[in-house]
Amino acid sequence: MGGDSIARLLEGRYEDRDGGPPLAVPTRSVVIEESLAGHEADLVKALDLGGRLTVVSDATTHAVLGESVANALESIAAVERLTLPANPHADGETTARIAAETASSDALIAVGSGTINDLCKYAGAKAGKPYAVFATAPSMNGYGSITAAIMIDGHKKSLPAQAAAGIFIDLSVFAAAPSRMIRSGLGDSLCRPTAQADWLLAHLLRDEPYRQAPFELLAEDEDALFGEPQALLQGDLEVMRRLARTLVLSGFGMTISGGSYPASQGEHLIGHYVEMMGDPAGPVSYHGEQIGVTTLTMARLQKRLLDGPAPVLQADGLTEADLRAHFGEALGASCWREFARKRLTPVDIEPLNARLAERWPEMVKRIGAISRAPFMLEEVLAKAQAPRRPADLSWSESFYREAVGHAREIRDRYTFLDLAADARLLDGEAIVA
């Protein structure tokens, strides 16, 4: 199963509405069923990953599914078990550990969700080894992507990785996941409108590449998912299937785009800033919970700018010394290398302002057509009783305003955060509820 759009991508016959040849993804198998119990060995055997497999999980996912998957795979291969501590970090050190402890394996079998998946896809890619994933929670949209969110020396980066050879989703396992993880997946899915608006802005204003196809992949399931989010917490497997498909297809959208552009823009920059600069001893929140909150912030900012006159931009006055002073020497230098690629100089201003003055109504129309009103997005989270405000995640208002103000400085993507800052409209604006 998995739906027509998934099947067509796997078969390399999904029509590219952007004008290219039919679209394909390197993943070979996606199976989304109400139960996969008893079929684990057959699913992996069909991928022909070799005779030595390492099942990688953490203490929690090992108990949920990892041990049963490892036991099942012993009928087709020599199996090693690598069980990381609970709540592992997706960072360079953990990646190095996985690479070292799977050196003799032919392939990695990830059993988990966001962190385990990212670690295996990145470590496997660095070692030239394939991997497949048995998903344990509908908590994020990276199962089908070819990038991994890895913290390198304190800087959260989206790094080239590899596609999963197989993505296996047992809907009954998803439905039994902690409610916060289910809400997290919903939050990660909520950002389609804000991410698309940011990416389209960069295209219309700065002629950066843009694709429509990743968003068409999501259209079939979005209305139904956003219309009944509370059913996810009530054990409704058909709505859970919608979420599972959305998460997989969002990852595939990133893959066909060659990066995380269609699913990670301003809202993710704010979330990454919080991860990078927040109190490590503070309350733990899931990535998708964060993205639900930051998506509402971006939706408010986007609406406020789109409802107003054409912004008038000024050259960016930030310097490398400013970023070093704010982020620290090493992290500030790393952020500057990213930020400098999009920073507006005096040479940029006149042509960009001319374009805004001439084309703003057309830009507003095109971006508005793919957006969703902030109150509609907030209603989706409210129905699922998901976090909606910074305080819901124990983020202070002052720190969150800092995050909104500085998040654009960590990456080279031009978003509505940059447009507002370059028009001197970001600071002090009431976009934080």
Side-chain angles (χ1 to χ4, degrees):
M1 295 183 65
D4 290 343
S5 52
I6 293 177
R8 292 201 304 275
L9 282 171
L10 296 179
E11 295 165 5
R13 57 183 182 86
Y14 188 94
E15 180 183 357
D16 186 358
R17 301 301 177 90
D18 296 313
L23 297 172
V25 292
T27 295
R28 289 182 278 146
S29 175
V30 175
V31 180
I32 304 173
E33 295 287 0
E34 292 189 3
S35 175
L36 298 180
H39 300 283
E40 299 91 345
D42 291 337
L43 294 172
V44 174
K45 184 177 181 180
L47 299 175
D48 193 21
L49 299 179
R52 296 171 299 176
L53 306 175
T54 297
V55 174
V56 183
S57 58
D58 63 32
T60 301
T61 64
H62 179 80
V64 170
L65 190 61
E67 182 61 20
S68 63
V69 168
N71 290 340
L73 297 185
E74 287 179 337
S75 65
I76 62 166
V79 176
E80 297 289 335
R81 294 160 173 80
L82 173 54
T83 306
L84 302 175
N87 303 313
H89 296 290
D91 54 28
E93 293 77 13
T94 310
T95 300
R97 176 188 170 183
I98 291 174
E101 297 194 28
T102 60
S104 62
S105 298
D106 296 317
L108 283 61
I109 307 298
V111 181
S113 55
T115 299
I116 292 294
N117 186 63
D118 277 349
L119 286 167
C120 288
K121 73 164 67 173
Y122 186 65
K126 297 284 281 185
K129 297 178 180 182
Y131 94 106
V133 57
F134 284 85
T136 57
S139 55
M140 56 89 220
N141 62 358
Y143 290 117
S145 75
I146 55 172
T147 60
I150 304 291
M151 192 81 78
I152 302 294
D153 296 327
H155 194 173
K156 190 69 172 284
K157 296 185 177 184
S158 180
L159 300 176
Q162 66 173 326
I167 301 170
F168 308 125
I169 295 175
D170 184 319
L171 293 173
S172 65
V173 172
F174 268 23
S179 59
R180 285 186 65 187
M181 300 193 80
I182 296 172
R183 294 184 180 108
S184 180
L186 177 66
D188 215 11
S189 301
L190 195 75
C191 74
R192 190 285 305 161
T194 59
Q196 186 174 3
D198 276 344
W199 199 21
L200 184 53
L201 169 72
H203 172 67
L204 296 174
L205 181 61
R206 295 165 59 98
D207 296 319
E208 295 182 11
Y210 171 81
R211 302 205 66 172
Q212 181 65 29
F215 307 108
E216 290 185 349
L217 289 172
L218 303 177
E220 179 182 344
D221 297 292
E222 185 173 287
D223 283 343
L225 176 61
F226 287 2
E228 294 185 90
Q230 68 277 12
L232 295 169
L233 285 305
Q234 298 167 351
D236 188 318
L237 295 188
E238 284 311 304
V239 178
M240 184 62 74
R241 186 186 299 277
R242 296 278 190 183
L243 177 57
R245 283 172 45 81
T246 294
L247 297 174
V248 170
L249 286 167
S250 181
F252 284 162
M254 292 186 258
T255 294
I256 64 178
S257 300
S260 59
Y261 315 101
S264 176
Q265 294 283 341
E267 72 293 319
H268 275 70
L269 297 185
I270 301 171
H272 292 335
Y273 182 96
V274 170
E275 287 187 70
M276 290 165 54
M277 303 298 288
D279 181 0
V284 174
S285 56
Y286 291 119
H287 168 78
E289 291 180 316
Q290 298 170 9
I291 299 308
V293 172
T294 61
T295 291
L296 296 185
T297 297
M298 285 305 301
R300 295 186 195 103
L301 175 62
Q302 290 169 353
K303 184 178 188 304
R304 184 173 55 77
L305 291 175
L306 293 172
D307 285 349
V312 179
L313 307 181
Q314 302 177 44
D316 200 305
L318 284 174
T319 66
E320 182 174 359
D322 292 327
L323 268 63
R324 286 177 180 267
H326 181 77
F327 291 98
E329 284 295 323
L331 182 54
S334 179
C335 290
W336 176 255
R337 287 191 290 272
E338 292 274 336
F339 181 70
R341 292 198 286 265
K342 67 175 178 180
R343 175 174 172 267
L344 297 190
T345 68
V347 176
D348 302 316
I349 296 304
E350 185 175 348
L352 289 179
N353 277 332
R355 178 172 289 195
L356 283 167
E358 176 186 356
R359 303 183 186 177
W360 184 244
E362 174 194 348
M363 295 169 67
V364 169
K365 182 178 180 180
R366 286 193 60 182
I367 297 173
I370 53 88
S371 298
R372 286 184 182 255
F375 80 88
M376 294 176 63
L377 297 175
E378 185 167 7
E379 186 178 63
V380 173
L381 294 178
K383 286 182 178 179
Q385 299 182 329
R388 290 171 286 154
R389 298 172 180 83
D392 295 339
L393 298 176
S394 299
W395 297 342
S396 71
E397 182 176 329
S398 60
F399 174 65
Y400 191 68
R401 286 188 179 278
E402 172 192 317
V404 173
H406 289 278
R408 69 191 189 97
E409 298 163 14
I410 69 175
R411 293 291 297 278
D412 63 353
R413 292 181 186 175
Y414 195 90
T415 73
F416 272 87
L417 291 170
D418 297 285
L419 184 70
D422 290 334
R424 306 301 189 261
L425 297 173
L426 184 58
D427 292 340
E429 293 297 332
I431 57 174
V432 180

